[in-house]
Amino acid sequence: MRITVVCSTLFLCSLLAACISAPTPHGEVKSGSVSGGEVAQSDTNRVATLTMRANLDSLYLLMDKLYRRNPAEWKKTGVSRDEVVKRVRDAVEQRQVWADLQGKHDIAAMALALSPDFKADRVAAFIYASADMIITAHGDKIRFYLVDSLDAQFLYNAARNMEIADWMLSTRRNVSGQPLLLSDEINPGERNLSFEREFGKIIGRLDVLSEFLTEKYRRAGINYVQNLLGAPLLQFLPVR
């Protein structure tokens, strides 16, 4: 009987140890290498630059995912998906025009890319237009330095534009009655919301950056008043 109790105790202890063991690693936060250009960046400039980089990378990820679900689209632009992805990235990063958008930019380009009768590569047009809109909201810049300034309201508006675009992709139909692009899918056998999550990341980053900028200017005013009120109290007193 004692042997049974001891064995049971050991078994329970082993289960408890397994439950409290270290969780499975899911990666770690990594900082980028220091570049010479960072000397000309404030903390706000650096946050804005990192946020922009993350949002562009999210758009490129969405582009790859959309092409995988809608392979007919990239075939309108190039001979391979990888080639088209590179062309879109280069056009975004180098601020080149995208011919299929007929010279339109930011929200006008998004409206064209999401119009039901658009015939060209919709994925390329939508991703390029979304990136162009976000960059426009950041003062037409991708990297930010001390001489640059950002408008919190424009960033907030960009977040709302991405919400609208996400909704259009999930609800709007083309002239044949089909979804503009296949993205998220929910059915009895599958639940794929990866597109929704990536859109959410972009929207969240834009909202946080806009709030950060608003708070920065608000705190600057408060700190100024605190310095004025506190100045008489922060003077050294004579000791002789």
Side-chain angles (χ1 to χ4, degrees):
M1 182 67 177
R2 292 183 61 187
I3 294 176
T4 303
V5 172
V6 171
C7 290
S8 298
T9 303
L10 291 175
F11 177 70
L12 290 173
C13 289
S14 65
L15 286 178
L16 181 60
C19 291
I20 63 176
S21 60
T24 303
H26 293 280
E28 59 183 19
V29 177
K30 295 182 180 179
S31 62
S33 57
V34 179
S35 63
E38 290 184 43
V39 177
Q41 289 183 320
S42 66
D43 291 345
T44 301
N45 298 149
R46 188 61 182 162
V47 169
T49 299
L50 293 174
T51 300
M52 173 62 77
R53 183 74 269 156
N55 281 337
L56 291 180
D57 287 343
S58 284
L59 285 174
Y60 301 149
L61 177 59
L62 282 170
M63 174 168 56
D64 184 68
K65 292 167 68 66
L66 285 169
Y67 274 143
R68 291 179 186 276
R69 293 220 65 195
N70 305 271
E73 295 300 317
W74 65 258
K75 295 176 182 178
K76 300 175 184 177
T77 302
V79 297
S80 72
R81 188 180 74 244
D82 291 342
E83 177 207 356
V84 178
V85 167
K86 184 179 185 304
R87 285 175 59 182
V88 175
R89 290 180 63 120
D90 289 345
V92 169
E93 306 273 340
Q94 298 170 21
R95 306 298 288 136
Q96 301 169 349
V97 298
W98 193 256
D100 291 337
L101 290 171
Q102 306 168 13
K104 298 182 184 299
H105 289 280
D106 56 83
I107 56 175
M110 292 180 72
L112 178 60
L114 294 174
S115 63
D117 57 350
F118 187 76
K119 302 298 184 183
D121 180 347
R122 192 185 297 278
V123 173
F126 171 66
I127 295 300
Y128 175 90
S130 297
D132 188 67
M133 181 273 297
I134 291 175
I135 294 172
T136 299
H138 286 75
D140 292 315
K141 296 179 182 293
I142 295 176
R143 287 170 289 275
F144 307 93
Y145 299 96
L146 293 171
V147 296
D148 299 320
S149 62
L150 293 169
D151 189 304
Q153 185 62 49
F154 290 157
L155 300 181
Y156 177 87
N157 293 347
R160 305 292 75 76
N161 288 339
M162 292 307 300
E163 287 179 339
I164 295 169
D166 183 23
W167 181 83
M168 285 183 174
L169 278 181
S170 63
T171 61
R172 186 171 284 185
R173 298 289 187 266
N174 60 22
V175 292
S176 301
Q178 301 298 318
L180 295 182
L181 292 169
L182 295 176
S183 53
D184 287 329
E185 185 170 359
I186 302 177
N187 57 54
E190 184 178 7
R191 185 178 179 85
N192 176 14
L193 296 176
S194 59
F195 293 87
E196 185 78 21
R197 287 195 296 270
E198 208 60 41
F199 274 110
K201 290 178 183 179
I202 298 172
I203 295 165
R205 293 188 196 108
L206 289 169
D207 276 336
V208 169
L209 183 56
S210 67
E211 291 176 9
F212 174 75
L213 290 171
T214 302
E215 182 71 8
K216 171 191 172 184
Y217 297 129
R218 190 179 72 87
R219 289 303 307 175
I222 293 174
N223 290 339
Y224 177 76
V225 174
Q226 288 176 336
N227 290 334
L228 288 178
L229 296 177
L233 303 176
L234 297 177
Q235 294 179 358
F236 290 115
L237 302 176
V239 294
R240 69 168 76 183

